[in-house]
Amino acid sequence: MVTLEQIVALYVRADERLRELVQSLEDSSIGRLRKEMLLRQIEEIIAELTAQAGQQTAALIGDEYRAGAAAAVQQITAVGVAREAIDDTLRPLIHQPAAQSIMDDAFYSILEASDNMSRDAKRRIENAVRTANERSLTEGMSRREATKQAVADINNRGITGIVAKNGAQIPADKYMAGVVHYHQRKAHVTGIEKMVVQNGLDLVYVNFVGITCEFCAKYQGRVYSISGNDPRFPKLELRPPYHSHCVHSISAWIEEYAPVDEVERMITTSNRPFTDNRTEANIRRYNEMQRDKSRKNETRKQWMRYKAVLPNDTPDLRQFASIKTKSGQAYADLQELYRKTNVINKRRILPKNAEAIRSYGKNAIIVRDSMLQNGPEWKNPVLAESHLAKRIKRKQIPTGWTLERYEGKISELVRSPQSQVYRYHLEGFEQDYFVYGDGQKWVAIVGQDGKLETSFPHDAPVNYRNYLTVDKGYTYLGTVKEVEEGAN
């Protein structure tokens, strides 16, 4: 089942990838082709994000809508209505348009955020290039230093997801956390409402939350008439959720099963003026809770960053918050693991992973020695020439390269003491694979059986680093020299 956290994590990771692209301007000269390549990569990241976020959000909304419909059935039976008297079928003509409408609204917000993210990232590239050119010409500093300063000035905040009415640029992960939560709650509430109507009922109750905001205080704790045909109660014109992260919902309210005094009380309460009736104590407590929530949100964002890099080592949010509060050895160890693992996207020289070398280093050296002794042995020798042709067609290697020259490059990667070694493994793999990379562009992937899977260069160091991440199944061991020394 898709969760809100999984969807927001997509935006956390996309933000990191986009800012890494901007940061990569420091790695090489900024020419027209280089800039165009970065702009294309931005479009690719955004397209991937939009597709994944759209699919996962649609799945989440569908799940929540069905959960809301099921909750309505439980609410009706809870007051005493016989189960067999309830129609719990999800009639397509009633429910499908309602759920689809929510999905459409959510996807519009996703597209809006995607457009803003793309525009912001591209603007950063353009601004960095222009500012670097201006500084190198007017201030006499080197192009590299001018680029470094320009990137630092524009890349220290999250990629924009939405521009607020007051001009504030809200980071994409924060904006989408609110968007997804809102539509998730809306789907749940709508599922309840449509199931209530399907069963011939008209009255619903908006739950009362003692500590709430000024807006929600006006509408909570009342019974509403969905159709507006019951003059004793206000019409349900404004439905929960009333805003992002709203906790209000509705439930079926069946007058026939309520005591007489309860009916009279609800008529009176439901018709009170639509004004904020919170006490001063409740207002103070709400403000305190908001400040505490802000602190927890920071923890939640940190947890999502850790989860994206260390999916198997990061505990759930509750445990993470607990060990962070205690600030003991467990939290220190997790911080250190995150730093060492995430460094792949920040630096070129990585610390060796002694534990991984002990576990997999010997096999990596056996694979290396076998390839150096016998030469590259392709997984499918028949496709070796077509593989070479594909690399030439994609302009990843020079047109004049022969298979011998191509395999020579692969042998060079495996032989060099400074090449980086990774273990590549995902659930379902029948064997381990080992990656030998130059730390900049080239990688060669070889199975534990000694068969060469593939080898190719990335366009830039940042793409090399983004390719070899823990969340994609790659575990860094060390350089060939470090692995050889540690495995003996």
Side-chain angles (χ1 to χ4, degrees), residues 26-28 343 346-350 420 439-440 461 465:
E26 300 177 352
D27 295 336
S28 60
V343 75
K346 308 300 180 185
R347 295 166 50 195
R348 296 177 185 172
I349 301 175
L350 308 179
Q420 299 176 337
Q440 296 292 311
R465 297 193 294 270

Side-chain angles (χ1 to χ4, degrees), residues 4 167 200 206 306 444 448:
L4 168 66
V206 172
Y306 276 53
Q448 192 168 321

Side-chain angles (χ1 to χ4, degrees), residues 33 43 76 90 94 96 169 211 253 261 279 304 307 316 330 344 360 418 421 427 434 439:
L33 294 178
E43 292 175 357
I76 296 171
L90 291 173
I94 296 176
Q96 188 170 330
Q169 297 179 351
I211 309 299
W253 195 81
D261 58 341
T279 64
M304 287 191 291
K307 197 69 175 177
D316 61 34
I344 189 171
Y360 313 110
Q418 299 308 314
V421 184
E427 185 177 353
F434 293 98

Side-chain angles (χ1 to χ4, degrees), residues 40 47 58 91 130 139 170 332 376 399 430 461 468 480:
R40 286 196 302 271
R91 297 182 184 177
R130 185 184 67 255
E139 300 178 23
I170 302 173
T399 305
E430 295 181 356
L468 298 167
V480 167

